[in-house]
Amino acid sequence: MRYAMVIDTLKCVGCSDCVVACQTENDVPIGYCRDWITETVDGTYPNIVLELKSERCNHCDNAPCVRCCPTGASHIVDGGIVLVTPNECIGCGACIQSCPYDARYQHPEGYVDKCTFCHHRLEKGQLPACVSVCPTKCMYFGDLDNPNSEVSKLLKNRKWKTLAPEAGTKPNVYYLI
Amino acid sequence: MQEELFTSGRNIPHIDPSLEIWHWPISVYLFLGGLAAGLLLFAGLVTILGKEKEYPTPVKYASIITPIALSLGLLALVYDLTHPLYTWQLYTTIRLESPMSWGAWVLLVTTPLSYLWVFSYFSEIFPKRNLKFNFLKNFEKFLKKNRKNMAYALIPLSIILGVYTGVLLSAFNARPLWNNAILGPLFLASGLSTGAATIILLSKTAKEKYLFSKIDLALIIIELGLIVHMIMGMYAGSQVQLDAMNLLIGGEFTLMFFGFVIILGLIVPGILELLEIKGYKVPVAIPAILILIGGLIFRFVIVEAGQLTRYLY
């Protein structure tokens, strides 16, 4: 089992529904967010290309945050999901310093928090909150080890990219371009 | 031209618009840790070479500073944790891949050892004071007998401690300025240099000042060489590393880095120490204090500038 998220940047309209769904589902404190939308404009008018992306923790195969955690609070569970155990986290900030995606933040209660791919929903057989609410259905979630899953097929048939692959983290959030 | 912005209004405290998770306590700790590593290494070396009588400052008077520096450094570290009540979790596991885990364990051993070291010199540092209890006297005697053993333990521990202050930063591949292998040896050299400077400051004999000025001069030259290597290596690196170097060279940290760290913190004290070794009368406190201030500013520059460098956004 290897969970991955595939996001179609050609279908995303940047509505921020995924952001709000995550904040509601996971009780994210006000002012914080586990996912966010970026708008990238390339070129100068009139020759411009616009790209909208919903970004979050990439649940990297080679996760630097897990490597540098001094207590083992950051760990990888079945399916390659990177999680933080609040009661093992001392709030040293090493994982925040090590994340090339700046996907982690210090929860006001002190421990470090981030996207969990909605691990608690996956256990019940549901999709992550962000994926389930997307109005343009531009987000896909599934198992890369299964060649017949929707995400495997999309990555086989479409052009895609990952964020900052040069950081060597082997991210598991893919963007169709 | 490329422009990227957060349309969902991301503004997470301490992370946006620029990362500032680590504040002044970390820089202060890195300085104090390096200083303690330097003092411990010199104390250990002098003891193993059997030169305590000739060079009493590194083993006796300067070693009073070590436990104070380590304790203040530890306090600073815990002060910067946001979940400090769970600090004990550090000692429930050994994580070889995490430099911070290494540091936590090394500090757990080194800090008590530095206290024991000073205690073994208690009667010599305070000749007029008597230890009230017999068991304390016996304990001091026991420590005195085992000084050489402590020294053998202190040498590897102090080197790990000194290197760790740099490797702590260089292990983060997401901060391009930190992510270079030279930072470990560079911080070790800088820490040893601040240790030697402290010994020069506290020393009362000309012989000792002469020796440690020589050691310090060598360390300054090594440090300058390592800084040149760091700059060259970064300039031969990827775009993110070039951007990181531009912060130090021609960016907002240029004055701090070149003015205060390299010129006032290394070159000027180096020249003054060279003059002193050549026999000119130089008040040795001046280069020693310049080195200590330069070492502290160096930590601040690297910690602050490193957090401005990132891969995305």
Side-chain angles (χ1 to χ4, degrees):
Chain A
M1 182 92 91
R2 196 152 62 92
Y3 285 123
M5 195 176 273
V6 174
I7 297 168
D8 194 340
T9 60
L10 303 179
K11 279 207 283 184
C12 177
V13 293
C15 66
S16 298
D17 240 17
C18 47
V19 179
V20 177
C22 172
Q23 287 166 333
T24 317
E25 173 71 28
N26 296 302
D27 266 332
V28 177
I30 293 170
Y32 295 76
C33 52
R34 289 181 179 185
D35 57 350
W36 57 93
I37 308 280
T38 60
E39 178 186 290
T40 315
V41 180
D42 266 307
T44 34
Y45 183 81
N47 300 314
I48 53 172
V49 179
L50 173 76
E51 185 182 86
L52 290 157
K53 286 196 297 295
S54 170
E55 296 181 10
R56 61 190 43 57
C57 169
N58 283 266
H59 297 274
C60 309
D61 283 347
N62 179 21
C65 50
V66 173
R67 232 183 305 134
C68 72
C69 177
T71 65
S74 283
H75 59 287
I76 298 180
V77 296
D78 257 4
I81 299 178
V82 178
L83 294 179
V84 183
T85 314
N87 285 350
E88 285 178 21
C89 175
I90 61 173
C92 65
C95 52
I96 296 175
Q97 299 285 15
S98 76
C99 177
Y101 309 104
D102 292 322
R104 291 166 163 254
Y105 61 88
Q106 280 164 328
H107 193 277
E109 281 173 28
Y111 56 87
V112 169
D113 194 32
K114 68 182 222 9
C115 163
T116 60
F117 267 173
C118 280
H119 189 249
H120 60 289
R121 285 174 61 97
L122 296 180
E123 280 175 335
K124 287 188 255 169
Q126 297 170 319
L127 285 170
C130 51
V131 177
S132 71
V133 298
C134 180
T136 64
K137 305 241 179 329
C138 76
M139 300 168 81
Y140 307 88
F141 188 83
D143 180 9
L144 280 185
D145 279 349
N146 174 4
N148 295 319
S149 68
E150 204 175 12
V151 286
S152 298
K153 282 184 188 158
L154 279 166
L155 293 184
K156 218 181 287 167
N157 299 325
R158 294 272 304 270
K159 250 174 124 179
W160 53 265
K161 66 171 180 182
T162 53
L163 294 182
E166 66 273 22
T169 53
K170 299 215 176 85
N172 280 315
V173 176
Y174 298 83
Y175 295 94
L176 301 176
I177 49 177
Chain B
M1 202 191 98
Q2 189 183 59
E3 197 183 24
E4 188 170 33
L5 49 95
F6 296 115
T7 50
S8 64
R10 197 180 105 141
N11 191 18
I12 304 175
H14 310 305
I15 295 182
D16 297 317
S18 71
L19 192 79
E20 38 162 336
I21 287 289
W22 284 355
H23 312 95
W24 63 266
I26 301 292
S27 315
V28 169
Y29 161 70
L30 293 180
F31 172 73
L32 292 173
L35 174 70
L39 290 172
L40 287 174
L41 183 71
F42 289 127
L45 279 178
V46 167
T47 307
I48 283 175
L49 297 173
K51 303 257 166 111
E52 298 103 314
K53 292 260 154 57
E54 283 171 80
Y55 303 109
T57 313
V59 289
K60 259 195 244 170
Y61 307 110
S63 66
I64 304 174
I65 297 190
T66 320
I68 301 172
L70 281 176
S71 306
L72 285 178
L74 277 172
L75 272 183
L77 276 187
V78 175
Y79 177 74
D80 213 48
L81 296 179
T82 53
H83 222 199
L85 293 178
Y86 292 84
T87 310
W88 55 272
Q89 287 279 5
L90 283 171
Y91 299 108
T92 58
T93 172
I94 294 179
R95 296 191 40 80
L96 293 178
E97 282 183 316
S98 162
M100 211 178 261
S101 181
W102 275 80
W105 283 103
V106 167
L107 282 169
L108 185 74
V109 181
T110 313
T111 312
L113 209 52
S114 72
Y115 276 96
L116 294 179
W117 182 271
V118 177
F119 191 67
S120 81
Y121 276 101
F122 187 87
S123 333
E124 289 173 55
I125 299 172
F126 308 103
K128 282 176 197 158
R129 289 220 175 173
N130 264 328
L131 285 169
K132 271 189 190 140
F133 301 105
N134 258 335
F135 74 92
L136 283 178
K137 274 184 202 157
N138 292 337
F139 188 50
E140 197 196 351
K141 258 186 221 148
F142 167 76
L143 289 175
K144 216 169 168 177
K145 256 191 257 159
N146 283 300
R147 254 185 220 151
K148 265 228 161 105
N149 292 336
M150 284 202 274
Y152 278 118
L154 280 180
I155 288 176
L157 282 173
S158 61
I159 290 173
I160 296 176
L161 183 64
V163 172
Y164 150 71
T165 58
V167 170
L168 174 70
L169 301 181
S170 69
F172 298 132
N173 70 332
R175 310 290 146 217
L177 178 68
W178 293 347
N179 187 19
N180 66 87
I182 224 99
L183 221 55
L186 179 56
F187 271 53
L188 175 67
S190 172
L192 296 184
S193 172
T194 52
T198 310
I199 292 169
I200 295 171
L201 261 184
L202 296 174
S203 173
K204 289 184 189 93
T205 67
K207 192 181 172 191
E208 229 174 24
K209 284 181 187 169
Y210 179 76
L211 174 73
F212 279 93
S213 292
K214 259 173 135 178
I215 292 175
D216 203 26
L217 184 61
L219 287 167
I220 286 173
I221 293 167
I222 292 171
E223 232 181 300
L224 284 171
L226 289 176
I227 287 175
V228 171
H229 271 288
M230 180 178 84
I231 294 172
M232 280 173 64
M234 295 289 256
Y235 268 129
S238 56
Q239 185 60 44
V240 283
Q241 286 177 310
L242 285 172
D243 293 343
M245 235 344 78
N246 287 338
L247 277 176
L248 297 185
I249 299 169
E252 54 184 296
F253 289 91
T254 306
L255 175 69
M256 288 303 258
F257 187 64
F258 279 95
F260 287 92
V261 177
I262 294 191
I263 296 176
L264 278 178
L266 291 172
I267 293 177
V268 171
I271 292 171
L272 290 176
E273 280 174 352
L274 185 67
L275 288 176
E276 201 216 335
I277 293 166
K278 291 270 170 220
Y280 294 90
K281 279 246 150 100
V282 180
V284 282
I286 296 176
I289 289 172
L290 282 177
I291 282 173
L292 288 173
I293 296 174
L296 183 62
I297 294 176
F298 177 54
R299 267 62 171 191
F300 270 96
V301 168
I302 296 292
V303 170
E304 306 260 311
Q307 295 190 88
L308 294 182
T309 58
R310 39 165 72 169
Y311 271 88
L312 298 172
Y313 320 125

